[in-house]
Amino acid sequence: MRVGMLTSGGDCQALNATMRGIALTLYKQVKDIEIIGFKYGYKGLMYEDYVEMTPDDFKDILNKGGTILGTSRCPFKKMRVIEDGFDKVEAMKKTYKKLKLDCLFVLGGNGSLKSANMLAEEGCNVIGLPKTIDNDTWGTDYTFGYQSAINIATNYLDQIQTTAQSHNRVFVVEIMGHKVGHICLSAGIAAGVDVILLPEIPYDIKQIAKVVKKNVKNGKNYTVIACAEGAISKDEAKLSKKQYKLKIAAREGHSVIVDVANELAHYVDSEIRVSAAGHAQRGGEPCPYDRLMATRFGMMAAELLLEGKFGELVVLKENVVTSIPLSETAGKLKYVDVDGEMVQNAMRMGISFGVKN
Ligand code: F6P
């Protein structure tokens, strides 16, 4: 049996732990197993850039961050675009067939899983594993990397709180999450911040200003605002997609935290600073929960192969690792449930989401 694996899209903690889970199960369960590792995601599959892996490659990587195979972003929307005469989909299928693969394991987030589904529809045996710190893959309660990112974001917010307190400052802190706010919501609650701004809940700057003023009035001399990368104001939410894109482009690289800070400065007297937790949220070693989940996902992926169940995505549902068809998840995002328990109870507890509670 010969199988391939690749890691695609933004990296995260526990990619290596997941590959180890697959490999250890297969080495134990299959007498003759060859594992091919494609370098830098789908690029490796397109350009036949791969390594034949050995059991040694999977040693001591359970708690190693990043990905031993490397990764890259190959946007789904460009997959079927022929560039300089190069047909990416045909090239990937050609490599798959040439290497006589029995299965390809794709460790990826939403875009990568859409491509995985496309390859499955093109006749390849594909098994997907849900990777992303964003936890926004539809159909699974958990994506590996998420808990490690929450831990880092929470620690970052904790550290900001002490310096904010010393200086009587307002801090607007950027937390990763362009389209969804899961990390920001979890880390914000875990760090006990005053305000959480999410892409799912357009903010009103006046409501944020109210929190800052109320804090000052109550003798709390500092305010910490956890702001997801993709947070949008009420006015921005009214824009068309095209207008919003133009507005983002006009920011010339600065992020939403600068807008929030500048807008807030019109309403409050406090000194305001911005700070971004940044790519550190994807870095370093996976936390124990991610090691556990990655291993469970990896083991399940290997079992799916042994059962001959392809075109599936490994998922967590009500604390049980199982699988769903890749076609079910492709193209959908799992947003923060604005009416759900976390947001609603956080509001009742007094955390502001930049709207009238
Ligand atoms: O998809 C994970 C993620 O870290 C997002 O939270 C973030 O918006 C994006 O990737 C950053 O991408 P890049 O590494 O390409 O800057």
Side-chain angles (χ1 to χ4, degrees), residues 10 73 132-134 176-178 183 229 279 282:
R73 290 195 187 275
T132 166
I133 60 165
D134 293 334
M176 271 190 170
H178 258 303
I183 307 173
E229 274 177 305
H279 286 76
R282 294 210 315 239

Side-chain angles (χ1 to χ4, degrees), residues 81-157:
V81 180
I82 315 278
E83 282 173 299
D84 297 326
F86 185 67
D87 185 330
K88 304 178 198 86
V89 179
E90 281 310 312
M92 290 192 285
K93 281 162 63 182
K94 199 172 147 210
T95 308
Y96 179 93
K97 281 186 193 145
K98 189 173 162 188
L99 291 171
K100 295 192 172 68
L101 295 182
D102 292 294
C103 171
L104 175 71
F105 294 102
V106 174
L107 286 69
N110 296 304
S112 308
L113 293 174
K114 267 203 245 177
S115 299
N117 182 50
M118 177 192 70
L119 285 175
E121 285 171 354
E122 291 283 336
C124 303
N125 292 335
V126 182
I127 294 172
L129 295 109
K131 163 245 61 161
T132 166
I133 60 165
D134 293 334
N135 197 31
D136 59 353
T137 301
W138 188 91
T140 182
D141 296 341
Y142 192 75
T143 60
F144 54 88
Y146 178 48
Q147 186 61 54
S148 303
I150 292 175
N151 293 0
I152 295 166
T154 305
N155 288 338
Y156 193 85
L157 289 164

Side-chain angles (χ1 to χ4, degrees), residues 303-318:
E303 291 304 331
L304 289 174
L305 162 66
L306 298 176
E307 286 168 26
K309 220 172 155 193
F310 301 114
E312 292 283 301
L313 172 71
V314 180
V315 297
L316 182 76
K317 277 270 159 215
E318 288 165 12

